Amino acid sequence: MTQATTRVSAATLARRLGPPTGAAGQPAYRMLARQIRSAVLDGRLAVSTGLPSERELAAGLSLSRTTVAAAYAVLRDEGWLDSRRGSGSSIRLPGSAQPGVRRVAGVFGGLDAHLPPDGPPGDGPIDLTVASLPAPTDVLPKVLIEIAADVGQYAGQSGYHPLGLPALRQAIADRYTATGLPTTIDEILVTNGAQHAFTLALLELSVPGDRVMIECPTYPVALDAIRAARRTVGPVGASGFDRYGGSADSDDGAWDLDLIRAELRQTAPRLAYLIPDFQNPTGAVMSAEMREQLTHAARRSGTMLLVDESFRDVPFPGSPALPPQLATFGDSTRVLSLGSVSKSMWGGLRVGWIRAAAPLVRRLAAARALGDMAGPLIDQLIVTRLLADPEPIFDQQRTRLAAGAAAAHAMLAADLPDWQATTPGGGASLWVQLPGPIATELARLAPAAGVLIAPGTRFGPDGTMESYLRLPFTAPPDVLRAAGPRLAAAADQAIRTSGAGTLPGWLT
Ligand SMILES: Cc1ncc(COP(=O)(O)O)c(C=O)c1O
């Protein structure tokens, strides 16, 4: 299967490359080749991206055409570029049979390889693969008692609500309306979490072979769902380590609007999956301007947007207000908002939702019945009660997350000072740049050191981002502190044994 290629302009490429790096005195063509390789390896440029012509890039970077030609030749010789007469050069990974197709051992070893350990809590290694908080204390036990009366009201009925419990749908619609996005009950479908919402929309609104644009890095289970459904992944580089994760109210450096526009215009993906609020894993926040322009570009390319707002309710206390929801800029026949209480309340409550135009909601409800008929009534009753007064719960979880982020940063400073981490204003994880391309080896060695981690490669489709890992800060601070020496021990060993040299050219 040949992959569609999005060709980037010289200006877009220059922005994604950032300033030249490498040893002083290195020839300019080697520096350029190195910059392009690094951008691919850390997710700023997706595999399969088409590069500008030599002439265009030379003009755009104020380099001679000979320099660009020599850089492309180096990359081609090392297996990083695929060049075809008449169709230009596109990025591939060394060792892959086709551009954009490379499976890294141990990373895509089957979906069951990604299941969390199944044992009694507190047993076994510290699990830093799951970004999930414990349940809110105090409130949950109280609500469990209160819903005994609610259950009585419903027990005389069938208990099936394929669209979701009306009281809950109303409560969710009211929250959207209160935050500036007028919403009626018939525009809400209750699902079993945000992942269920995504897979349901994916399966109903696209067919096998359709292209789905994703941010790279992105939430890996969504990526798994796209692949399992045989859709084509259209990754758009959404990294750029030094350019996001600050305390500002948006971090547009993570996304590149020109790159996204090029992908939309040139490949017209059927769907695009976006996480604009405390993106998982980078923690970046998309600005209002970019939300608006992206929505317009998607309308022009006929792309429906699936906007995952799982982390929208968990900014840290005191951080700036988030930009308006992306759906504010589009209409609900084309922009679907996916929500969940799993991050703002508790993952054990399997309640999420889709906000979409009413006819779309009915269509999705009919499709969901094929899988589970309807969501669990008891969970929905609990969440209905919790949403009646959600702020104390959100505050508790936000405070826990902020304390977790501070503990994770302190742990890195104490035990792993050469690891660089983002400083997000909310969400549940840090995106960490390692001192070299050791993430897979580190993840392999970490369990023996008593800790589990997810390597950066897990967050993209191509096995790149080998110098990154996601560090959730949802564990209690003392657990995060205890993880430090274990990670340091595993990292020491990974640096010695990693196959960093297996990606040709990394060290040139
Ligand atoms: C961005 C994102 N979407 C969806 C999910 C899954 O959420 P849920 O438990 O609501 O299905 C997660 C969980 O980590 C997530 O990070």
Side-chain angles (χ1 to χ4, degrees):
M1 186 175 67
T2 54
Q3 295 208 344
T5 291
T6 296
R7 194 155 296 284
V8 292
S9 68
T12 302
L13 181 61
R15 243 190 346 267
R16 298 313 279 169
L17 294 185
T21 55
Q26 230 184 17
Y29 74 92
R30 287 229 160 254
M31 295 231 263
L32 177 58
R34 182 191 169 102
Q35 277 177 285
I36 294 174
R37 268 195 312 264
S38 303
V40 177
L41 284 170
D42 76 9
R44 279 174 281 149
L45 275 183
V47 175
S48 289
T49 301
L51 297 186
S53 69
E54 291 168 6
R55 187 193 304 274
E56 195 200 339
L57 189 58
L61 294 181
S62 305
L63 292 171
S64 75
R65 190 164 165 195
T66 326
T67 300
V68 176
Y72 279 14
V74 167
L75 292 170
R76 204 174 299 118
D77 289 350
E78 292 176 347
W80 292 87
L81 270 197
D82 213 39
S83 297
R84 300 230 167 95
R85 196 173 289 280
S87 54
S89 299
S90 55
I91 290 167
R92 69 198 290 274
L93 286 179
S96 60
Q98 292 173 26
V101 181
R102 183 177 127 119
R103 302 214 151 203
V104 176
V107 176
F108 303 119
L111 292 181
D112 61 346
H114 307 310
L115 289 177
D118 195 15
D123 210 28
I126 296 173
D127 186 359
L128 297 180
T129 62
V130 178
S132 252
L133 282 175
T137 47
D138 308 336
V139 190
L140 195 60
K142 210 167 83 234
V143 166
L144 286 176
I145 293 165
E146 287 170 1
I147 62 146
D150 301 344
V151 173
Q153 280 179 36
Y154 288 92
Q157 305 167 8
S158 76
Y160 285 100
H161 295 275
L163 289 149
L165 197 66
L168 176 57
R169 295 170 68 210
Q170 188 64 58
I172 295 166
D174 290 348
R175 286 205 72 234
Y176 277 114
T177 304
T179 55
L181 195 55
T183 304
T184 56
I185 183 173
D186 54 355
E187 292 172 308
I188 299 293
L189 170 70
V190 176
T191 61
N192 301 336
Q195 179 62 29
H196 177 216
F198 172 70
T199 305
L200 182 61
L202 171 76
L203 294 178
E204 185 56 22
L205 303 176
S206 64
V207 295
D210 276 351
R211 192 171 177 95
V212 182
M213 186 183 101
I214 57 154
E215 299 151 337
C216 183
T218 191
Y219 175 53
V221 188
L223 188 54
D224 292 341
I226 296 169
R227 289 179 146 147
R230 303 281 179 256
R231 274 55 168 172
T232 304
V233 177
V236 169
S239 188
F241 189 78
D242 48 336
R243 306 181 214 177
Y244 58 74
S247 53
D249 59 357
S250 72
D251 313 278
D252 278 351
W255 294 270
D256 187 310
L257 190 59
D258 287 340
L259 206 60
I260 293 172
R261 280 191 178 130
E263 164 77 12
L264 292 171
R265 196 176 53 241
Q266 296 174 32
T267 73
R270 174 85 185 119
L271 303 172
Y273 172 65
L274 301 163
I275 316 171
D277 304 309
F278 307 121
Q279 204 259 5
N280 185 357
T282 64
V285 173
M286 189 186 288
S287 71
E289 296 72 36
M290 192 174 287
R291 289 171 199 235
E292 182 168 17
Q293 292 175 22
L294 192 158
T295 310
H296 290 166
R299 189 183 311 134
R300 279 195 295 276
S301 63
T303 303
M304 292 179 84
L305 300 179
L306 305 182
V307 185
D308 187 333
E309 297 178 341
S310 292
F311 293 98
R312 191 164 170 90
D313 286 321
V314 284
F316 298 158
S319 31
L322 284 170
Q325 283 105 328
L326 210 137
T328 316
F329 304 105
D331 78 80
S332 57
T333 61
R334 318 278 329 156
V335 184
L336 280 65
S337 308
L338 317 180
S340 171
V341 298
S342 61
K343 303 298 163 190
S344 58
M345 291 182 169
W346 189 36
L349 293 166
R350 299 310 303 151
V351 171
W353 57 86
I354 300 177
R355 177 192 182 273
L360 205 46
V361 160
R362 297 197 69 78
R363 180 175 156 198
L364 291 165
R368 81 85 59 88
L370 304 183
D372 71 345
M373 297 300 287
L377 183 77
I378 310 278
D379 282 34
Q380 294 183 73
L381 287 173
I382 296 170
V383 175
T384 307
R385 284 259 177 192
L386 294 176
L387 283 180
D389 183 20
E391 286 306 320
I393 301 170
F394 293 162
D395 283 347
Q396 184 179 19
Q397 301 301 54
R398 289 167 184 161
T399 304
R400 278 176 163 169
L401 288 168
H409 276 125
M411 176 268 276
L412 291 177
D415 297 309
L416 293 149
D418 54 351
W419 291 16
Q420 283 183 57
T422 48
T423 50
S429 54
L430 305 181
W431 186 233
V432 178
Q433 189 171 26
L434 303 167
I438 59 167
T440 304
E441 184 67 354
L442 181 61
R444 191 181 69 79
L445 295 168
V451 60
L452 305 178
I453 52 136
T457 46
R458 180 77 181 91
F459 296 81
D462 303 309
T464 57
M465 297 179 288
E466 179 65 8
S467 299
Y468 290 83
L469 67 84
R470 185 187 71 164
L471 188 66
F473 44 73
T474 46
D478 58 324
V479 174
L480 289 166
R481 266 192 298 279
R486 300 180 188 198
L487 283 173
D492 270 354
Q493 206 184 337
I495 284 164
R496 275 183 270 119
T497 59
S498 83
T502 58
L503 289 175
W506 172 260
L507 296 171
T508 63

